Amino acid sequence: MNQGIVFKLNGQPVSYTGSAADRLLDVLRQTYRLTGVKCGCNEGECGACSVLIDGHLANSCMVAMGRVENCEVTTIEGYSQTERFQVLEQAYAAVSAVQCGYCIPGMILASECVLARHPHPSETEIRLGLSGNLCRCTGYNAIVKAIQIAAEKGEGLW
Amino acid sequence: MMPISQSVIKKDHLAKACGQAMYVADYDTTQMLQGLILRSPHAHAKILSMTYPPLPEGYFTVDYRDVPGINEVHIVKDDTPVYADATVEYIGDPIMMLVGPDERELERLLAQIEVNYELLPAIIDVRDGDTAFFDYHFGKGDMDQAWAEADQIFEECFETGYQEQAYLEPQGLIADYNQGKITVRGSMQCPYYVHGALAKALGLTPDKVRVIQDVTGGGFGGKEDYPSILACQVAVAAYKAKGQPVRVIFGRREDMEFTSKRHPSRCTYKAAVKNGRVTALDADVIFNAGAYTTLSAVVLQRGIIAASGVYDIPALKVHGAAIKTNTVPNGAYRGFGAPQTFFAVEMLMEHIANALDEEPLAFKLRHMVRQGSVTSTGGRYHFPVPLPAMVDEVRKMSDFEQKRQVYARQQTGTTRRGIGISLWFHGAGFTGSGERDIIKAVTRLHKLADGRVEILASQSDIGQGIKTTLCKIVANELNLPLDQVSYDNPDTDRVPDSGPTVASRSLMTVGELLRRAAIRLRSQWQEGVEQTVEEHFKEPDFVIPFYIDKFQGDAYPTYAWGVCAVEVAVDTLTGVNEITGTWASFDVGTPIDLNIVIGQMEGGLLQGLGYASMEQLAADQKGRIRNHSFSDYIIPTAMDVPLMKVQLHVEAYPDGPYGAKGAGELPLVGAAPAYMSALEQALAGPINHIPFSAEDALKLIRQSRRA
Amino acid sequence: MVNGFSPATLQEALEIRARHSVTPYAGGTDLMINPDPDAVYLFVNHIPEMKQIEQRGDQLHLGAACTYTQLLEHPLTPAILKAAIDLIAAPAIRNEGTIGGNIANGSAKADSVLIFFVADASLKLNSQSAERIIPIRDFYRERKQLDLRPDELITEIILPTKWLDHYYYKKVGARKALAISRVVFAGLLTWQDDVIAHCATAFGAVSGVVLRCPELDALLIGKTRSEAQAAKAGYLAAFGDMIAPIQGRVSAEYRKEVCLNLLTDFLTSNGI
C-alpha cells in the first residue's frame, strides 16, 4: 500500500504519492506549482533551486523525494510569509540587489542561512554563505551589502 | 548628484524577490506540448535521408518541409535556416523538432530517429577558414610615411577566446497558433526582432504575428538574436499543432553548447614608433563567426572601430574579417566585439611601453584622445574626454603608483604580486547610422483618464532595470509619483517598435524619446481625458553622418568611458592567481538611478574579469563545445572578487535624458587588459591571450625563471 | 514509498540491501547529477548508527552518512579534514553531501577521500551477515571500481588520528569556491626526538584513484633533518617517476608540475 512520502511543505503537511526517486525540484514546480524555485542547471552548480530542508540550505535539484520524508521543506513562497523575509526583501530593495531576479529566491534563502548561523556576519562569512549561489548580473556586492543591512535592521530576529 | 539619480525601489523588485515573477518556464504546462530539437552530430555534412520511427498518438515531427513561409531566420543576412534542409553546418545545427506531451517519451523517440549523412570536410580552426562572411577595410593618415620614418616597428598577435553569456535563466519560448495568428512569448531582449523573423518564416503579415516578452532572467546579448531562431522553430511547430501551444525550454547543456557566444578573435597588430610615440597602427582583426552570419557583421564593425582604443594615432589601417567555421554561430555578448580589440590594443600599448622602458600608464596617457580628436573613422570626439580625471580617481582609490613601484622590485617567495590599469570607451548606442536608417524608434505615452500614464515601448527589462529607469524619467517630467507611471513587459500587439534592447541604447535613446514625449504630454495635459503622445527618433544635429561602406563619420554620437585597476597575487607553486582588489571609475553620463548603474558596473566588471581568466570554453577538434555545464564553464562566485570598488564620473551628454549615456556594456569591455597587465607585472613576462589560465601562468613563471 | 525504502535502523537497511536491488542514497549530491529515473533508492541519510562521530582511543569513528556540514561543526573533526571540507563545493552541497557517499562515488577528485587516504583510514562495511574492515587503499581497486559487494553498505570510516596534527593541505580548483579539484595534495609529517616519526602524502585528481605511496614516504621516516635533506632529491625523483597524471581540462604536464611543486613545498615547510 502506498502511503506516500509525508513531509511538511511551507508549514502544511503533504503526502507525495509519486516516485521516491523524483527530484524535489521537479515536484515542487510541477506538482505543487511552487515556481519561485528556479531551475538553472539541474546539477547542483548554480543554487537557483535552493530551498530549506529542516532549516538548512539545499539544492532541490540534488534531492530525491524519499530524502524529505518527515522533513520540513520551505520554498521562497513559504519563506516570503515571514518577518525575516520582509527585512531581507527591504534590504535587497534598498541597494537594488535584484537584477534579472532568477537567482534571487535562492539567494534570499541562502541569505537566511547566513544570518541564521551568523546574526552578525563578517563579509567573508556572507560571501562563503553565498558561494553556491551563482549570480551573473550583480557582481555580488549589492547582495552582500543587502545582507549586512538586514543584519543591522533585523537585530534580534536572527 | 541630480535628484533623478536618487535610487528608488525597482519596479520589478518585489515580484522577483518573493518568487512570484513569471518566467517562461513557470507557466502551467498541462495544456502544452513540449518540443525537443534533433541536432546535427557532425560539423559539416549533407543530409541524405531521415527516417522517423512510428509515433504514438499526439506526437509529431516538424522539419524544414513544415515551414509555411521562407526557411530562413531573419537576423541581418538571412542565411540561418529555421531547420536544416540540405546540409548541416555545425555540431548542433537544428534538423527537426519532435513534439508531444511527455518529455521522457520525446527523448526516447528522438533517439530512434535515423539520419543518414554524407560527411563533408569541416573547418574548425579559424586559421583554416577560407570564407569571409564579412571583410572590411578602412583607415586614415599616411601609413607609408609613418612606416618609412619609424624608429621601431612592433608586431604582435593577440588572441581571445569564447565567452558564454551564462544568464541564469536558460532560453525558452512558448508558441501558440490560433485563428490565423501566431503568438510567441518568453525570454528575449528584442520582441520586434522576433516579430520580423516570425513574419518571414511563417509567411504572415505583421498583424498576424504577436510577440510578448516574459520576465527574462538575464540576456547579456545572448537573447538578442538567438530567440529569433528558436521562435521560428517553435512557431512552425505550433503552426502544425493547430491550436495547442508548444513550449521549448532549454536545459543548461543545450543552452551552453548550441546558443551564440562571444566571437573568439585573432588580432595581429603592427605599430610604428617614432620619438617614443606611436605614429601608425596596422590592425588585422579576425573574428571566428561560426557557421552562419547571424550578428557577425555588426559585432565585427564595433570591434574594428575600436581597434585603436582610446589613443590618438595619426595613421591607421584596419582590416576586419568574420570568418566562417563549422562551429556554433557566434553572436552578441555585452561589449559586442569591442572587448576583443580593446584587449589587443591595451596589451600592445603595455608592451610597447615596456620595450621603450616607459611606465605603461604614462605612455598611454601621452597618446590619449581628447575632445575634438579625430576618431578612427574620421568622426569627432565631440564632448570632453574625462579619462585623465578618471585615471587620477582610480590611482588614488587603488594606491596605484605605490603598489606598482613595490611590485616592480624583485619578488621572492611563493606569492608574486602585480597591479595593472586599463583605459577604454564604449560607443554609446548603435554603430553608425543604424538608429536613423534602420531602427527608426517610435515610443508612445498613454495617459488614462484617471491620470495614470503607461509607457508603450519595446524595451525588455532583462535585469538592467529599464522598467524602473524609463518610468522614473516619465514620472519626473510629469511630476507624477512613480507608482502612477507603469511599463509592462512589451507585447507587440500593444507597443510600437522602439527598437531592440541592445547596444546600451535603451536608456540613452528610448529614454530621451520618452522624456520628450513626457514634456509634450505635460504641455497638452487635460484632466480626466485619455491621451496619447508619440515620439520618433531624430539624429542629433552635431553628428557627422556615418557611411558604413567607407567607415567614415561619427560611428557613435558620444562615448562612455572606463578606467580600471586590478591587483593580483599569484601562487608560484600552482600558477593560481587571486584578484586582491579591483578599482574602477566609469563615466556613463548622468546615472538615472545610482544603485542600478552601480549594479550594472559591478556585474559587468566581474564578467570582464571572468572573461580574462576562469571562463574557458573551447571547441574540440571535431568542433564540439566541451564546456557545457556550470561545473565545466566556470563563472565567478561571491568568493572570487571580494574587493571591488566602483565609482562614477559624470560627464553629462546633452542628447541623453538628463545627461545619460549608454551604460550596460561599458564595464565589461576593458576589464581583461587591466587584469592581464597586473599578471604581467607579477609574472614578469608578456601575455597575449585570454583566457589566461593557471597553467599559462606556470609556463610563464618557468620561462622567466630560465631567462 | 514508491521506488524507495526509508529504513529507520541499520539492521533494517541491511535487510533491504540484501533482499532488493537498490542504490544506497546518502546525500544524493553525486547520484542526482544524472539520475536514473527508474532507480530504487535505499535512503540511509538519517540512520542513527551511520551518523555518529566517536573517538575511540587513537581512532575516530565517523558514520558514513555524516554530512560535511555536520563534520565541519563537530569538535572531534580533525583540522585537516575540516580544511578539506571547507573547500568542497558550497554550503548547500555540504549540507547534503556525506563522506560515505563521497567514497562510494569512487572519484579520485573527492577531496574528503584524499584525507582518508593520507591518514590510512579504514572502512567498515556491513552486510546482514557480516562485517569487514578494510583499508581504504584496498577498497579502491581502480577508477570507479570499488570493493563493495551488492549486499554491503559503507557504514563507518575509521580514521587513525595520531599523526593528523601536523598537516599540509592544498587544493587547486578553477575558482575560490564551488570548484572541482584539478590537483589536490595532502601531506602529514611529524618530528619526534629530531627524527621524522611519520610521513604520509597523497595526491588527488591525478590518476584513476588517489595516489598514495607509503613505500616512498618511508624513505624519510626515521631520518634526521640533515639525512632527510640528503634524501630529498631522491624522494622527489621517486615521486616524479610515480606521478603520471591524466589529461583532462588541464594538461598532464601541469598536474605533474603542480604535484611536485606542492610536494617540495610540503618538505620545505617542514624544514627539509
Side-chain angles (χ1 to χ4, degrees), chain B residues 681-696:
Chain B
Q681 189 181 35
L683 299 171
I687 292 172
N688 50 23
H689 75 272
I690 50 168
F692 192 78
S693 68
E695 190 167 352
D696 294 327

Side-chain angles (χ1 to χ4, degrees), chain B residues 371-664:
Chain B
Q371 185 174 17
S373 296
V374 177
T375 69
S376 67
T377 57
R380 292 289 179 278
Y381 291 98
H382 294 279
F383 302 99
V385 175
L387 284 175
M390 292 165 67
V391 165
D392 280 342
E393 288 161 14
V394 172
R395 272 176 170 155
K396 214 170 286 169
M397 284 160 87
S398 62
D399 198 7
F400 186 80
E401 258 78 26
Q402 163 79 9
K403 286 175 178 167
R404 182 91 188 162
Q405 275 174 27
V406 171
Y407 302 154
R409 292 180 204 137
Q410 184 76 38
Q411 298 190 51
T412 55
T414 57
T415 305
R416 303 288 156 83
R417 294 177 193 278
I419 191 166
I421 198 164
S422 59
L423 325 174
W424 71 95
F425 65 64
H426 195 68
F430 262 103
T431 298
S433 58
E435 200 70 67
R436 182 195 66 205
D437 296 341
I438 300 165
I439 300 302
K440 301 174 185 160
V442 181
T443 61
R444 273 183 222 124
L445 285 178
H446 183 201
K447 170 181 161 277
L448 301 171
D450 66 7
R452 283 178 301 142
V453 174
E454 187 187 3
I455 293 171
L456 299 172
S458 59
Q459 295 344 105
S460 296
D461 197 316
I462 53 175
Q464 86 284 39
I466 198 71
K467 265 190 185 174
T468 306
T469 45
L470 292 183
C471 288
K472 277 180 85 172
I473 290 169
V474 171
N476 187 62
E477 284 304 335
L478 293 171
N479 288 317
L480 286 174
L482 192 58
D483 62 3
Q484 294 293 296
V485 180
S486 66
Y487 180 45
D488 285 342
N489 292 333
D491 169 350
T492 58
D493 264 11
R494 298 191 62 239
V495 302
D497 185 357
S498 59
T501 306
V502 304
S504 309
R505 70 178 281 280
S506 292
L507 187 77
M508 179 180 81
T509 305
V510 182
E512 175 63 11
L513 288 185
L514 285 165
R515 192 184 70 87
R516 282 194 247 135
I519 292 170
R520 243 169 1 101
L521 178 60
R522 191 178 64 208
S523 68
Q524 301 166 9
W525 189 278
Q526 288 175 277
E527 288 298 335
V529 188
E530 231 182 286
Q531 288 174 279
T532 301
V533 293
E534 189 171 285
E535 196 71 34
H536 293 248
F537 176 78
K538 191 181 154 293
E539 190 162 74
D541 293 335
F542 67 81
V543 170
I544 302 169
F546 186 81
Y547 300 97
I548 193 69
D549 52 338
K550 291 185 282 194
F551 278 84
Q552 281 298 309
D554 280 335
Y556 307 99
T558 189
Y559 298 81
W561 303 93
V563 177
C564 168
V566 176
E567 186 189 21
V568 297
V570 189
D571 178 346
T572 59
L573 300 172
T574 62
V576 172
N577 76 76
E578 185 182 350
I579 296 182
T580 49
T582 302
W583 302 266
S585 177
F586 294 115
D587 166 32
V588 297
T590 307
I592 295 305
D593 185 290
L594 194 59
N595 280 346
I596 287 177
V597 172
I598 294 287
Q600 285 293 295
M601 298 303 113
E602 291 174 342
L605 194 53
L606 192 60
Q607 285 185 9
L609 297 171
Y611 176 47
S613 55
M614 64 180 75
E615 297 190 22
Q616 313 224 355
L617 189 145
D620 66 13
Q621 288 176 331
K622 290 184 173 157
R624 179 178 291 282
I625 297 289
R626 297 284 305 277
N627 314 73
H628 45 56
S629 71
F630 274 135
S631 56
D632 219 355
Y633 183 73
I634 308 295
I635 64 171
T637 69
M639 287 297 291
D640 289 292
V641 187
L643 179 66
M644 185 197 291
K645 300 249 186 250
V646 164
Q647 69 179 51
L648 300 181
H649 182 104
V650 178
E651 190 60 54
Y653 169 51
D655 287 82
Y658 311 108
K661 310 191 265 201

